[in-house]
Amino acid sequence: MSLQTLTPFAESLGASLFGDDAADPRGAPPPAERLEFDATLALRHGGAHRCTLRAELVGPADAPLVVVLGGISADRHVCASDAFRAPGWWDLQVGEGRTIDTRRLRVLSFDWLGADGTLDLPLDTADQADTLAAVLDRLGIARADALVGCSYGAMVGLQFAARHAARLGCLVALSGAHRPHPYASAWRAIQRKIVALGQLQCAEDQGLALARQLAMLSYRSPEEFAERFAAGTVLDGGAARVGAEDYLDACGARYAQKWSATAFLRLSESIDLHRVEPAAIRVPLSVLAVEGDVLAPPEDIYTLAEGCAADCRVRVLRSRYGHDAFLKEYAPVARLIGDALEHLRDEEGVPA
Amino acid sequence: MSLQTLTPFAESLGASLFGDDAADPRGAPPPAERLEFDATLALRHGGAHRCTLRAELVGPADAPLVVVLGGISADRHVCASDAFRAPGWWDLQVGEGRTIDTRRLRVLSFDWLGADGTLDLPLDTADQADTLAAVLDRLGIARADALVGCSYGAMVGLQFAARHAARLGCLVALSGAHRPHPYASAWRAIQRKIVALGQLQCAEDQGLALARQLAMLSYRSPEEFAERFAAGTVLDGGAARVGAEDYLDACGARYAQKWSATAFLRLSESIDLHRVEPAAIRVPLSVLAVEGDVLAPPEDIYTLAEGCAADCRVRVLRSRYGHDAFLKEYAPVARLIGDALEHLRDEEGVPA
């Protein structure tokens, strides 16, 4: 996601979950480290596989641990830090002085299993949850205090809560449900067929870029498109070119530069293989449902909330950003996360 | 559209707009004829072109004339008749004893310009409106008493009302607006890119079938998919197969058998080149808006209704069928058409 949209928000931010008096903002920057290691995972559809896992940790070693997981195209680099200065995918909410404040919380994330394109077999969210467990094992961490997951990360969080309940304090699941919605599955299936069509034609990048364009339509809303692309259609070289086409072309091209078809296909598929019984969720849960989100529609999130076996707080949001609201709507998402993680302020391990 | 869904409705129908006493249902069947002729049209983006036009007429020669126009994949064969017994695309509402009763009304329709795949240049709805004018000229008909248009047919109807106001009594525009919605345009642009990807290397049918699959998602609603395809995803030969995939594959294959890529591309494009100023509509108007229709969203239809320069009746419908509600929701559509055409009962030319 572009970080350009961050600028206007960032200037009005700076309020951390714990207040600015909790630590000296001019102190040493939070430590950050990356780890990469091989582990054998028992993949749900592939049996035992030796896999390379990649994780990133930012924040004091003795702070409460918060796992932060993003959408399907997010990675382990959640936020910029002194050690890793490139923009992260969620600098808006995570970092020094942000909602999830890396001066007081230790943030862990990892690259999705399959994101490097080396695993060409069916993956699902249970495999990602087990990947997280393997990362925690490697770090010698018995239990994460919280997991904040967005979109695919929310689904993985639900699987982790179901499979490794003893290892999780609470779960914040933004715009993700216990199942893929059948309409959204159809939408993704067509994306995968577009990639396959491209592969048939030796035009893999073109197919991948086009599949991403279609995915973009499911991430955003008609309202946003109506505002941004009202100019309408022009004729260009004897063919119609619609208002959103430049934008979509750019989104697709950028994606195809970074991702492989195999990674896209297997991660896309893993959403459609996702399923968690709500009753299997036994850790305190906070969920965000966004009206107009076709990928994780509020009805499904309400079903999850009603069916889960623990306390569940539901926040409902109207947003012109549809599924991507978790990335774009600063204030309500910050409030939800702030409320859900407030108890960590009093836990042991918070630096004074 | 499949006619299987017609059966349960049809048994409870039989009530024509004019009541069963207006004519003897056991009388001679309504006459029907087809015409095919060449005419020179001044195409908006292509200049003067010699084109082949194809129309079908059903109903008494002295009855009020109602033009009936369907979606982008509809054709001149609106309803089955004694002369042309194949199922029509709108037997649910049009035919002997139906809402648009071919015993008392003369129904005219035509094949979309470009549908035969012989015109590979930009077309738009103004060209279709002029095609209708050329058909009326050929038939020696100065004025149609009504035009009932659905989806693309509604857009063409709006163009006809704007360009040939003196030739139209009233317009019924179902699920079509004065402009393409920018989000829907983006959706169609991706469909056209899918076809182009298929054309790269002789997989034209495959690209066309896949584009149609994507179009199907825009014709239907998440609610319907949730009900029909709740079974979820299975693994099939090492790849995920989602619930709706068999259905979508069948829709795509059926479409690709009948249509050419050129016809698809040029007709799809013509929707995105469509634009009518609401204030240019000066004939009495009845419109149908369906909540959840992403192609012709209610907001756009309200803008049309508010801006038009004539009386406008608006009917709003909730339907699990989204854009396709005009084909699937018998009763509310029948009522809307019945109300809009009721005045034709008293016009000259209705057979006693």
Side-chain angles (χ1 to χ4, degrees), chain A residues 222, chain B residues 151 174-177 181 183-184 187-188 217-223 288-301 317-326:
Chain B
S151 184
L174 309 177
S175 302
H181 190 279
Y183 185 77
W187 204 321
R188 277 184 297 267
L217 289 194
S218 67
Y219 298 151
R220 298 304 180 86
S221 77
E223 293 70 32
L288 174 72
V290 179
E291 285 190 8
D293 179 352
V294 294
L295 297 184
E299 310 85 81
D300 278 3
I301 291 176
L317 185 61
R318 276 173 191 258
S319 169
R320 66 194 278 267
Y321 293 110
H323 185 70
D324 268 358
F326 70 85

Side-chain angles (χ1 to χ4, degrees), chain B residues 105-182:
Chain B
L105 297 169
R106 194 179 192 202
V107 169
L108 170 66
S109 194
F110 64 97
D111 286 353
W112 298 126
L113 197 68
D116 62 8
T118 60
L119 280 174
D120 194 11
L121 47 82
L123 300 170
D124 79 12
T125 50
D127 299 321
Q128 306 292 356
D130 292 352
T131 299
L132 173 56
V135 169
L136 291 174
D137 288 345
R138 174 74 173 205
L139 292 166
I141 297 171
R143 182 175 173 274
D145 295 283
L147 189 159
V148 179
C150 316
S151 184
Y152 188 62
M155 296 182 236
V156 171
L158 290 164
Q159 281 286 14
F160 188 78
R163 294 169 74 85
H164 305 281
R167 305 191 74 168
L168 185 59
C170 70
L171 174 62
V172 181
L174 309 177
S175 302
H178 59 292
R179 66 156 192 176
H181 190 279

Side-chain angles (χ1 to χ4, degrees), chain B residues 148-322:
Chain B
V148 179
C150 316
S151 184
Y152 188 62
M155 296 182 236
V156 171
L158 290 164
Q159 281 286 14
F160 188 78
R163 294 169 74 85
H164 305 281
R167 305 191 74 168
L168 185 59
C170 70
L171 174 62
V172 181
L174 309 177
S175 302
H178 59 292
R179 66 156 192 176
H181 190 279
Y183 185 77
S185 289
W187 204 321
R188 277 184 297 267
I190 291 177
Q191 292 166 36
R192 295 194 290 272
K193 285 172 203 254
I194 293 172
V195 173
L197 183 61
Q199 287 176 324
L200 268 185
Q201 273 185 23
C202 306
E204 184 165 295
D205 280 2
Q206 203 171 329
L208 188 58
L210 187 51
R212 175 67 176 184
Q213 293 190 40
L214 180 52
M216 287 308 298
L217 289 194
S218 67
Y219 298 151
R220 298 304 180 86
S221 77
E223 293 70 32
E224 186 197 1
F225 272 58
E227 287 173 35
R228 289 178 65 178
F229 307 117
T233 308
V234 295
L235 275 177
D236 173 27
R241 192 160 176 84
V242 310
E245 222 156 323
D246 287 349
Y247 165 74
L248 290 173
D249 281 350
C251 289
R254 203 161 53 228
Y255 186 85
Q257 278 183 340
K258 186 176 166 194
W259 290 84
S260 72
T262 300
F264 176 83
L265 291 171
R266 294 309 186 175
L267 286 172
S268 165
E269 190 177 64
S270 78
I271 301 176
D272 292 319
L273 292 168
H274 167 71
R275 191 167 288 255
V276 176
E277 281 307 312
I281 308 293
R282 299 174 184 282
V283 302
L285 181 62
S286 298
V287 299
L288 174 72
V290 179
E291 285 190 8
D293 179 352
V294 294
L295 297 184
E299 310 85 81
D300 278 3
I301 291 176
Y302 302 155
T303 300
L304 164 65
E306 286 164 5
C308 73
D311 283 345
C312 181
R313 270 190 281 194
V314 180
R315 180 158 275 153
V316 185
L317 185 61
R318 276 173 191 258
S319 169
R320 66 194 278 267
Y321 293 110

